[in-house]
C-alpha cells in the first residue's frame, strides 16, 4: 500500500510552511531556531501532525486543519510555557514510532 496523493500533499504542505517559518498558525512566533537547536521539538510536531491526521478509506485527508492546529499548538506551548494547548495533548497524539527496519 502506498500513501495517498492527498496525504502526500498534506504532509509536504505542512513541511513547507513549517520549514520556511511562514506557517500561518504560528504567526509572530519565532520557531525556526528549533530546527537547528532543538530538533526533538520539531520531531514531536511532525509526530503529532501524522498521528492526528485522518484519512478516508480512499485516502482523502479529512482533518488537515485540525492536525496542523494540534502540531502548531505544541510548538507554541513549547516556546511559551504560559500557552495551554486546549484540549490538552493526549499520549497517543505524542507517540513517537521507531524507524523502519527496511
Amino acid at each position: 500500500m502506498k500513501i495517498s496523493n492527498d496525504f502526500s500533499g498534506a504532509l509536504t504542505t505542512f513541511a513547507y510552511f513549517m520549514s520556511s517559518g511562514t506557517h500561518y498558525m504560528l504567526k509572530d512566533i519565532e520557531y525556526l531556531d528549533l530546527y537547528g537547536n532543538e530538533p526533538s521539538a520539531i520531531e514531536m510536531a511532525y509526530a503529532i501532525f501524522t498521528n492526528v491526521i485522518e484519512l478516508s478509506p480512499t485516502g482523502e485527508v479529512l482533518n488537515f486543519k485540525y492536525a496542523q492546529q494540534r502540531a502548531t499548538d505544541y510548538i507554541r506551548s513549547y516556546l511559551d510555557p504560559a500557552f495551554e494547548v486546549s484540549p490538552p495533548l493526549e499520549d497517543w497524539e505524542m507517540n513517537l514510532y521507531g524507524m523502519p527496519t527496511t
Side-chain angles (χ1 to χ4, degrees), residues 48-99:
I48 292 166
F49 177 81
T50 56
N51 289 337
V52 169
I53 204 158
E54 295 177 358
L55 305 176
S56 74
T58 59
E60 293 173 278
V61 172
L62 302 174
N63 64 343
F64 180 59
K65 186 174 181 179
Y66 183 70
Q68 290 185 96
Q69 188 69 60
R70 299 299 279 166
T72 57
D73 279 357
Y74 168 79
I75 293 294
R76 185 180 301 272
S77 71
Y78 187 88
L79 293 170
D80 177 6
F83 179 79
E84 292 186 30
V85 177
S86 181
L89 289 162
E90 296 183 35
D91 290 341
W92 68 266
E93 291 175 287
M94 300 177 67
N95 197 12
L96 290 171
Y97 295 98
M99 187 171 67

Side-chain angles (χ1 to χ4, degrees), residues 3-63:
I3 63 170
S4 68
N5 292 343
D6 209 38
F7 175 74
S8 179
L11 181 60
T12 57
T13 298
F14 181 68
Y16 172 81
F17 287 108
M18 286 296 294
S19 60
S20 68
T22 60
H23 199 291
Y24 74 98
M25 292 180 178
L26 291 170
K27 187 174 179 169
D28 300 323
I29 304 293
E30 297 295 325
Y31 65 92
L32 278 180
D33 284 346
L34 294 175
Y35 277 87
N37 298 317
E38 299 181 59
S40 62
I42 298 299
E43 176 187 33
M44 183 55 69
Y46 279 88
I48 292 166
F49 177 81
T50 56
N51 289 337
V52 169
I53 204 158
E54 295 177 358
L55 305 176
S56 74
T58 59
E60 293 173 278
V61 172
L62 302 174
N63 64 343

Side-chain angles (χ1 to χ4, degrees), residues 98-102:
M99 187 171 67
T101 57
T102 58

